[in-house]
Amino acid sequence: MTEVQRLRDQLRAFAEERDWDQFHSPKNLAMALAGEAGELLENFQWLTEEQSRHPAPEVLAAAGEEIADVLLYLIRLADKLGIDPVAAADRKMLANAAKYPVDKARGTAKKYTEL
Amino acid sequence: MTEVQRLRDQLRAFAEERDWDQFHSPKNLAMALAGEAGELLENFQWLTEEQSRHPAPEVLAAAGEEIADVLLYLIRLADKLGIDPVAAADRKMLANAAKYPVDKARGTAKKYTEL
Amino acid sequence: MTEVQRLRDQLRAFAEERDWDQFHSPKNLAMALAGEAGELLENFQWLTEEQSRHPAPEVLAAAGEEIADVLLYLIRLADKLGIDPVAAADRKMLANAAKYPVDKARGTAKKYTEL
Amino acid sequence: MTEVQRLRDQLRAFAEERDWDQFHSPKNLAMALAGEAGELLENFQWLTEEQSRHPAPEVLAAAGEEIADVLLYLIRLADKLGIDPVAAADRKMLANAAKYPVDKARGTAKKYTEL
């Protein structure tokens, strides 16, 4: 069992014990994930990019909490949809490698449709 | 090496080959993650909760792509911040268990501050 | 002067008095807006659609605060980009009327590309 | 009638003609707004702050479309909740002036709780 599967199972047990499956529709979980992504964003909104590369300890701690929240909702949402998130990420990595060949994408942030 | 560490290393190599570290500030990665979370949301916004529990194949496929994008940006962001996302999720699970004791949280979606 | 122009001018004066223009890049303002949109979302994530149509007074008050935050950042962002948000909304209304003709769009939440 | 009220009424008529009120729960509208805020974000995520202050014409055009979408969903959501968004923004401006007094907030992006 991988660590993502372990978290998935712990989240299942957590929700079952609390009778929370009724609230955990994919719609609601996608909202909760986006809400946490918004909170994550707020940690960096007034920092320069350079400052964000060297965050203060309290920013780092706060960002870590939001990263955890996003990951947990992501694993829970994927479980409810019957999606393996790591397999989906692997497929996406392959697709990205094809969309952004090294020789064309090197040093540019352009979208693949503009390369 | 766990699968999340494997993805982290693949993302590092992917960015390095393309000279993309210059774009991958935590600020920018948090934006990219939130953008993908917004796209994930769009798959469910006009569905009822019940419909979201039984998504059409094309919705499921689209949601899987966005889940992959969110996971990849999350792992990349955590790496740039020096955060282990699985360890952060484990800590959060413990904190959530303390905030939402089974006897108080059972069957309610109230926030822990209102239990 | 319209009310949106009045708010725009008040926001300009507010930022100028506090020397905040340095922080108000479109990039940062778009982040702040998305963060507030995420907070707005959190008010409704565990409610059913029906419950969201009849929110408790404290939910309504909290949503009102987030609606205000989103509107203010939106006006500020538009100002920094030199965009008239009401004129942009008027153009979008026309575009939407063309994309969603009444006879095709009636009673369906499908995207215009699927009508 | 102000321009925001005019847009509110146009949105009401637009939804009514298409029988879309059934889809326009506050929950769904908050999701749609957050989705558009995510798309707005994507226009700036790989730009530096400085680049975002001088966007290319196509970025400006795309941002204008998303600003319009956010404004329209915001007005529609406020209407469904019975909230006057401009009055809410006026109240928030007053609250912000109290939270961020000029002498303390000048030149700093700190949150009011840290001033």
Side-chain angles (χ1 to χ4, degrees):
Chain A
M1 178 178 287
T2 69
E3 60 196 345
V4 171
Q5 289 167 339
R6 175 179 58 75
L7 283 167
R8 180 201 63 195
D9 288 356
Q10 288 179 256
L11 286 164
R12 277 185 197 172
F14 194 92
E16 199 172 326
E17 284 169 2
R18 285 162 187 77
D19 194 20
W20 279 3
D21 279 278
Q22 59 184 311
F23 305 119
H24 285 188
S25 64
K27 182 180 180 97
N28 289 5
L29 291 166
M31 291 178 80
L33 190 159
E36 300 297 342
E39 292 188 28
L40 181 54
L41 209 53
E42 292 177 355
N43 288 290
F44 300 109
Q45 68 196 17
W46 305 126
L47 300 186
T48 64
E49 282 189 65
E50 190 54 29
Q51 287 168 338
S52 81
R53 290 185 191 266
H54 308 284
E58 63 273 18
V59 172
L60 194 62
E65 299 249 356
E66 305 307 339
I67 283 172
D69 285 332
V70 172
L71 181 57
L72 291 171
Y73 280 127
L74 189 78
I75 292 172
R76 184 75 177 141
L77 172 60
D79 187 25
K80 284 294 185 179
L81 290 170
I83 289 170
D84 177 336
V86 172
D90 282 335
R91 284 193 300 273
K92 181 62 78 154
M93 286 292 291
L94 284 173
N96 285 344
K99 286 199 286 192
Y100 296 98
V102 170
D103 60 326
K104 284 193 179 173
R106 193 167 181 81
T108 172
K110 279 188 194 161
K111 212 175 169 180
Y112 69 96
T113 45
E114 294 158 18
L115 287 178
Chain B
M1 176 176 290
T2 69
E3 60 196 345
V4 172
Q5 289 168 339
R6 175 180 58 76
L7 283 167
R8 178 200 64 196
D9 288 357
Q10 288 178 256
L11 287 164
R12 279 185 195 171
F14 195 91
E16 199 172 325
E17 284 168 3
R18 286 160 186 77
D19 194 20
W20 279 3
D21 281 278
Q22 59 184 312
F23 306 119
H24 285 189
S25 63
K27 182 183 180 94
N28 289 5
L29 292 166
M31 292 177 79
L33 189 159
E36 300 297 343
E39 291 187 30
L40 181 54
L41 209 52
E42 291 176 355
N43 289 289
F44 301 109
Q45 68 195 17
W46 305 125
L47 301 186
T48 64
E49 283 188 64
E50 191 53 30
Q51 288 169 337
S52 82
R53 290 184 192 265
H54 307 284
E58 63 274 18
V59 172
L60 195 63
E65 298 249 356
E66 305 306 339
I67 283 172
D69 285 332
V70 172
L71 181 57
L72 291 171
Y73 279 127
L74 189 78
I75 292 172
R76 184 75 177 141
L77 171 59
D79 186 26
K80 283 294 184 179
L81 291 170
I83 288 171
D84 177 335
V86 173
D90 283 334
R91 284 192 301 273
K92 181 62 77 156
M93 285 293 290
L94 286 173
N96 285 344
K99 286 199 287 192
Y100 295 97
V102 169
D103 60 326
K104 284 192 178 173
R106 192 164 181 84
T108 173
K110 281 188 190 160
K111 212 177 171 182
Y112 69 96
T113 46
E114 293 159 20
L115 287 178
Chain C
M1 177 178 289
T2 70
E3 60 195 347
V4 172
Q5 289 167 340
R6 176 180 57 75
L7 282 167
R8 179 201 63 195
D9 288 357
Q10 288 179 255
L11 286 165
R12 278 186 196 170
F14 195 92
E16 199 172 325
E17 284 168 3
R18 285 162 186 78
D19 194 19
W20 279 4
D21 280 279
Q22 59 183 312
F23 306 120
H24 285 187
S25 62
K27 181 180 181 99
N28 289 4
L29 292 166
M31 291 178 79
L33 190 159
E36 299 297 343
E39 292 187 27
L40 182 55
L41 207 54
E42 291 176 357
N43 288 290
F44 301 109
Q45 67 196 18
W46 305 125
L47 300 185
T48 64
E49 282 188 66
E50 191 53 29
Q51 287 169 338
S52 82
R53 290 185 191 264
H54 308 284
E58 64 272 19
V59 173
L60 195 61
E65 298 249 358
E66 305 307 340
I67 283 172
D69 285 332
V70 172
L71 181 56
L72 292 171
Y73 279 127
L74 190 78
I75 292 172
R76 184 74 178 140
L77 171 60
D79 186 26
K80 283 295 184 177
L81 290 171
I83 289 170
D84 178 334
V86 172
D90 282 335
R91 284 193 300 274
K92 180 63 76 154
M93 286 292 290
L94 286 173
N96 285 343
K99 285 199 286 193
Y100 296 96
V102 169
D103 60 326
K104 283 192 180 173
R106 191 166 182 83
T108 172
K110 279 189 191 160
K111 213 178 169 179
Y112 69 96
T113 45
E114 293 159 19
L115 287 178
Chain D
M1 176 176 291
T2 69
E3 60 195 347
V4 172
Q5 289 166 341
R6 176 180 57 76
L7 283 167
R8 179 201 63 194
D9 288 356
Q10 288 178 255
L11 286 164
R12 277 185 197 172
F14 195 92
E16 200 171 325
E17 284 168 2
R18 286 162 185 76
D19 194 20
W20 279 4
D21 280 277
Q22 58 184 314
F23 306 119
H24 285 188
S25 62
K27 182 181 181 97
N28 289 5
L29 292 166
M31 290 179 80
L33 189 159
E36 299 297 342
E39 291 187 29
L40 181 54
L41 208 54
E42 291 176 355
N43 289 290
F44 301 109
Q45 67 196 15
W46 305 125
L47 300 186
T48 64
E49 283 188 65
E50 191 53 30
Q51 288 169 337
S52 81
R53 291 184 192 266
H54 307 285
E58 64 273 17
V59 173
L60 195 61
E65 299 249 357
E66 305 307 340
I67 283 172
D69 286 331
V70 172
L71 182 56
L72 291 171
Y73 280 127
L74 190 78
I75 292 172
R76 183 76 177 140
L77 172 60
D79 187 26
K80 283 293 183 179
L81 291 170
I83 288 170
D84 178 335
V86 172
D90 283 335
R91 284 194 300 273
K92 181 63 79 156
M93 285 293 290
L94 285 173
N96 284 344
K99 286 200 285 194
Y100 296 96
V102 170
D103 59 326
K104 282 192 178 172
R106 195 169 178 80
T108 173
K110 280 187 190 162
K111 213 178 169 179
Y112 69 98
T113 45
E114 294 159 18
L115 286 178

